[in-house]
């Protein structure tokens, strides 16, 4: 029953073809200031291919071009890596960093559009989403690259890391605004713990090692598993050339965090870090889904609750607590506030394991504690909601949320544009076919660091 893998069914059913469509139908008034391209990646194996793990499915990138109140084009393309044609990651010479699913994220930096998967090199795409090839920053990147690099809104630098199950376990990199790697350093004290995401603040880099670590006995194709003996820790190091030497590791409660919501220094110099986190059972339920194994786990995200850590470097202590009872993932924010104390946070909610709750776009006000949920309709599921600031934005939440909705009843998808202030619908763009539910993407505005005007 290989066709019953959960990541090949329902909202996640792979798209079977590549299309290009122009002049898309728009309902409502698409704000003219939304001029740019939305790109979104997801694991989307070719027809007839059944990956042994959700994350082994080859990446397909979807692009939508908006300009002057119109939706000019949509196109979708597989990322053409050796893995798309079946090349193995592990070879007799070691890992092939070009054998990438390239299905986790897609970003733009330094004029290059890059599809990312954390065990591999990035794959460069053209503005029309055709694959250029593996990209190693002109020969200067010799590790894998996380799928969650952080663009510093102040400097324009791109901070990222490469992790590995064998030494060096963790290497930190900084690329300047033009995309040249200007700093690389091995991070002392790291382990083989799974590191999917990390954080930067204005003054620090924050790494998170949870309870999930390298497990060669795991044969799903992703050799990681929960181990109680794996110490969960947060690593805090100053930014700057000599920062890695000064890293300090702080013990925290067992858990696993996939995504950071944000991190910053508070007025007392403490590091505040937030992100949805699972416990042992939540990880097991999620892993069952990710691998299509029998057993409970009806969603790719189970028991994923937002946790807040407050690290006091002076006292050497960490205060941590769960701050919300809603299962969420895909945290986003106004990225001008990345690394700073943000008031507003966004996420996608999932039904809990009993089926309570449901899919929705969630907005948190971290000052008042208010939580607002925007449902998108029966049998419909939103994806990661990207914040795009309004022209001449004043308030932090003065802007739009862009989310691609998958509709099972109509076998269709739309881009839903919400007003980020009240979560009201501003416009809907009808896409020419269903877009499989998936992972991460980026809004690439025409102004500033945009990469062309396709
Ligand atoms: Fe991710």
């Amino acid at each position: 029953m290989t066709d019953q893998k959960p990541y090949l069914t329902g909202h996640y059913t792979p798209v079977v073809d590549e299309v290009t469509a122009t002049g898309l139908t728009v309902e409502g008034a698409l704000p003219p200031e939304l001029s740019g391209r939305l790109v979104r990646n997801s694991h989307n194996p070719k027809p007839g291919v059944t990956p042994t793990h959700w994350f082994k499915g080859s990446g397909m990138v979807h692009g939508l071009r908006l300009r002057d109140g119109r939706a000019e084009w949509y196109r979708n393309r597989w990322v053409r890596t050796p893995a798309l044609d079946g090349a193995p990651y592990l070879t007799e010479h070691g890992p092939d960093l070009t054998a990438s699913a390239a299905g986790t994220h897609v970003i733009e930096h330094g004029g290059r559009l890059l599809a990312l998967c954390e065990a591999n090199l990035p794959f460069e795409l053209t503005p029309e989403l055709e694959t250029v090839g593996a990209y190693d920053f002109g020969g200067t990147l010799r590790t894998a690259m996380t799928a969650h690099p952080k663009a510093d809104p102040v400097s324009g630098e791109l901070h990222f890391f490469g992790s590995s199950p064998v030494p060096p376990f963790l290497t930190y990199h900084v690329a300047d605004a033009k995309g040249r790697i200007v700093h690389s350093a091995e991070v002392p004290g790291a382990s083989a713990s799974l590191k999917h995401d990390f954080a930067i603040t204005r003054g620090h880099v924050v790494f998170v090692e949870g309870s999930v670590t390298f497990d060669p006995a795991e044969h799903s194709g992703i050799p990681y598993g929960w181990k109680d003996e794996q110490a969960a820790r947060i690593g805090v190091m100053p930014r700057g050339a000599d920062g890695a030497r000064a890293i300090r590791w702080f013990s925290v409660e067992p858990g696993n965090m996939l995504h950071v919501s944000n991190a910053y220094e508070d007025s007392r110099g403490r590091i505040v870090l937030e992100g949805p986190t699972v416990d042992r059972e939540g990880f097991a339920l999620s892993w069952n889904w990710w691998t299509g194994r029998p057993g409970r786990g009806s969603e790719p995200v189970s028991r994923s609750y937002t946790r807040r850590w407050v690290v006091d470097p002076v006292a050497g202590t960490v205060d941590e607590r769960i701050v919300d009872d809603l299962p969420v993932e895909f945290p986003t924010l106004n990225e001008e506030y990345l690394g700073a104390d943000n008031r507003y946070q966004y996420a996608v909610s999932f039904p809990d394991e009993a089926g309570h709750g449901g899919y929705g776009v969630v907005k948190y006000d971290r000052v008042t504690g208010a939580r607002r949920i925007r449902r998108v309709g029966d049998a419909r599921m939103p994806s990661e909601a990207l914040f795009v600031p309004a022209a001449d934005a004043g308030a932090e939440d003065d802007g739009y949320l862009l989310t691609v909705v998958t509709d099972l009843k109509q076998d269709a998808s739309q881009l839903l544009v919400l007003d980020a202030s009240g979560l009201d619908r501003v416009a809907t763009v009808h896409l020419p076919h269903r877009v499989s539910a998936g992972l991460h993407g980026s809004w690439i505005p025409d102004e500033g660091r945009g990469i062309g005007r396709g």
Side-chain angles (χ1 to χ4, degrees), residues 21 26-27 31 68 140 151 156 324 388:
V26 177
E27 283 180 59
D68 299 332
T140 60
D324 186 44
V388 181

Side-chain angles (χ1 to χ4, degrees), residues 316-338:
T317 58
V318 181
D319 176 82
E320 60 181 297
R321 64 193 64 193
I322 292 171
V323 294
D324 186 44
D325 61 358
L326 189 70
V328 294
E329 249 299 346
F330 302 110
T332 52
L333 79 166
N334 179 341
E335 295 200 353
E336 289 298 313
Y337 290 78
L338 188 145

Side-chain angles (χ1 to χ4, degrees), residues 106-135:
V106 54
I107 65 157
E108 183 274 342
H109 184 74
R112 295 178 194 276
L113 188 60
L114 302 172
L116 302 173
C117 212
E118 68 192 19
N120 304 90
L121 289 172
F123 262 76
E124 185 177 357
L125 310 178
T126 70
E128 290 76 34
L129 310 185
E130 305 298 338
T131 301
V132 177
Y135 182 64

Side-chain angles (χ1 to χ4, degrees), residues 239 241 278 369 387:
R239 285 171 58 165
V278 295
F387 180 90

Side-chain angles (χ1 to χ4, degrees), residues 43-130:
H43 295 289
N44 192 106
K46 290 194 291 189
V49 175
T50 300
T52 50
H53 193 292
W54 184 28
F55 301 156
K56 298 293 283 184
S58 288
M60 175 179 277
V61 175
H62 303 262
L64 179 60
R65 210 291 180 234
L66 308 181
R67 178 154 41 195
D68 299 332
R70 290 173 284 116
E72 291 189 335
W73 55 252
Y74 161 89
R75 67 188 76 206
N76 64 303
R77 299 290 185 272
W78 272 288
V79 186
R80 289 183 157 68
T81 81
L84 181 64
D85 297 319
Y89 177 66
L90 286 176
T91 73
E92 59 186 20
H93 306 295
D96 177 0
L97 297 184
T98 74
S100 177
T104 309
H105 200 346
V106 54
I107 65 157
E108 183 274 342
H109 184 74
R112 295 178 194 276
L113 188 60
L114 302 172
L116 302 173
C117 212
E118 68 192 19
N120 304 90
L121 289 172
F123 262 76
E124 185 177 357
L125 310 178
T126 70
E128 290 76 34
L129 310 185
E130 305 298 338

Side-chain angles (χ1 to χ4, degrees), residues 204 236 248 250 268-271 310-318:
H204 292 84
V236 177
R248 293 174 65 192
F250 299 85
R268 294 168 52 185
R270 302 176 304 181
I271 308 292
V310 180
V311 181
D312 187 331
V314 176
T317 58
V318 181

Side-chain angles (χ1 to χ4, degrees), residues 104 148 196 259 440:
T104 309
H148 288 287
H196 183 66
H259 299 119
H440 309 289

